[in-house]
Amino acid sequence: MDPLEDVLTLLETRSHLSTSLVAGGRWALRFEPPQGVKFNAVRRGSCMLEVDGVDGPIPLAEGDCYLLARPRRFTLRSDPETAPVAAGPVFARAEGGVARAGRGDDVFMVGGRFSFGARAQELLLDRLPPVVHVPAGSPHAETVRWALDVIDQELTRGQPAAGLVAEHLAVVMLVHVLRLHLARDPHTASGWLAGLSDPVVAAALTSLHREPARPWTVAELAREAVVSRSTLAARFKAAVGQGPLEYLTRWRIELAARQLREGSSTLAVIARSVGYGSESALSVAFKRVMGVAPGDYRRRPARQTSPTAARPS
């Protein structure tokens, strides 16, 4: 498995398209902190984005898109002088799936949000900066633009299952935005996500994700990455923040946790599937990483299965 694909699958990534925005003249809308990861794309015109806690406004041009990875208030505006109004009532008055601000139609934006499973904060969102801006001329921007074009076509033409197709295409867009972010700003990522920017570390991560139950050694992973043991250990630690075998332990526990949340397999079956020879071995590792025994974790409501006692990288 590709590590990025693996994590997005584990987190049950879903997209939810929202009301579009048409705006013109002088206007400004203030938005409350979004749930999940918010995304918007400028299909026509230009405007400015301001996010609480982020220095300076971000100019948005036609073809640009952005992700908000933190639940922070933000403002979209035509100019810095116009006083913002609450976006909620404006979008509540939307007709035909389109909200309107100001006068005219200089600007057209589409958007939505991505929702994830219980472990998203620790595994993905904390690894991203508050805002990921994708300018129209960036690598991968063409694929993002293609996905947005097809989303528009699906929703405009009203074909059967158009909403489902559009939501899947939005996830495709998310993958390309994350790829772009890793290629452009690797220093702003952390943990496993930062490791994908280093070809040596990425090779080791891919091997671990492809065969998580295999009894890997650092020497075997170094051979996969075609470097020495010391080189792999140093680069993996520098990029990911922990050694490759510690990372493997934590990833195995994430896989076991998913089975505990979603299935009814016995602990012995789960232990074997993720590379542990016994229930007790898995139980010890699970409690060390997650801060709770597997049985107690399984009995918790889904919203409580992201413990704060230990944060995996």
Side-chain angles (χ1 to χ4, degrees):
M1 290 287 287
D2 171 86
L4 180 56
E5 176 187 351
D6 219 357
V7 171
L8 290 175
T9 300
L10 179 82
L11 295 180
E12 302 173 331
T13 306
R14 299 287 186 271
S15 69
H16 311 269
L17 300 177
S18 62
T19 300
S20 300
L21 173 65
V22 170
R26 301 186 66 180
W27 59 277
L29 296 175
R30 181 72 164 162
F31 294 80
E32 292 301 310
Q35 294 182 334
V37 171
K38 174 69 178 174
F39 75 91
N40 276 118
V42 182
R43 306 295 282 152
R44 181 175 66 245
S46 61
C47 61
M48 300 166 62
L49 168 67
E50 297 171 351
V51 181
D52 284 6
V54 175
D55 292 338
I58 299 172
L60 299 175
E62 185 171 318
D64 286 13
C65 70
Y66 65 87
L67 300 179
L68 299 180
R70 302 281 190 279
R72 298 183 180 182
R73 290 183 176 85
F74 68 99
T75 300
L76 291 169
R77 59 167 72 241
S78 61
D79 62 276
E81 286 78 28
T82 301
V85 300
V90 174
F91 277 77
R93 295 192 298 268
E95 296 181 359
V98 178
R100 295 185 176 274
R103 295 182 178 182
D105 58 0
D106 304 331
V107 178
F108 176 49
M109 302 184 71
V110 298
R113 65 182 177 87
F114 297 102
S115 62
F116 306 93
R119 300 289 292 159
Q121 198 66 47
E122 289 86 351
L123 288 178
L124 179 62
L125 302 185
D126 283 349
R127 312 301 172 195
L128 295 170
V131 184
V132 178
H133 176 212
V134 182
S138 304
H140 295 291
E142 183 177 346
T143 303
V144 171
R145 184 166 57 252
W146 168 83
L148 289 167
D149 287 342
V150 180
I151 288 172
D152 280 348
Q153 294 170 14
E154 288 288 332
L155 297 180
T156 301
R157 295 174 182 175
Q159 295 293 322
L164 181 63
V165 172
E167 289 174 0
H168 280 293
L169 285 167
V171 175
V172 171
M173 185 189 78
L174 172 65
V175 171
H176 281 275
V177 170
L178 293 176
R179 286 177 178 172
L180 169 63
H181 171 65
L182 290 174
R184 184 186 62 192
D185 299 313
H187 62 283
T188 62
S190 63
W192 67 272
L193 198 57
L196 295 182
S197 301
D198 183 319
V200 168
V201 178
L205 283 168
T206 299
S207 297
L208 293 174
H209 280 251
R210 185 175 60 242
E211 298 180 86
R214 177 173 166 176
W216 288 100
T217 65
V218 176
E220 290 172 327
L221 288 169
R223 283 195 292 272
E224 294 284 327
V226 198
V227 294
S228 68
R229 288 180 56 188
S230 59
T231 297
L232 174 64
R235 289 175 67 164
F236 202 104
K237 177 77 172 179
V240 181
Q242 57 189 216
L245 299 187
E246 184 182 358
Y247 176 88
L248 174 60
T249 295
R250 290 173 178 266
W251 181 245
R252 285 173 170 175
I253 297 307
E254 291 295 343
L255 296 176
R258 176 174 60 179
Q259 295 188 57
L260 289 168
R261 290 194 303 268
E262 300 176 357
S264 58
S265 298
T266 65
L267 193 59
V269 169
I270 294 173
R272 288 194 297 272
S273 73
V274 297
Y276 288 93
S278 66
E279 294 181 42
S280 61
L282 173 60
S283 295
V284 170
F286 194 97
K287 188 167 185 178
R288 184 175 70 250
V289 172
M290 303 295 278
V292 64
D296 293 335
Y297 183 91
R298 172 171 261 167
R299 289 187 290 271
R300 284 183 172 186
R303 64 180 182 277
Q304 297 180 5
T305 51
S306 285
T308 58
R311 268 185 45 182
S313 295

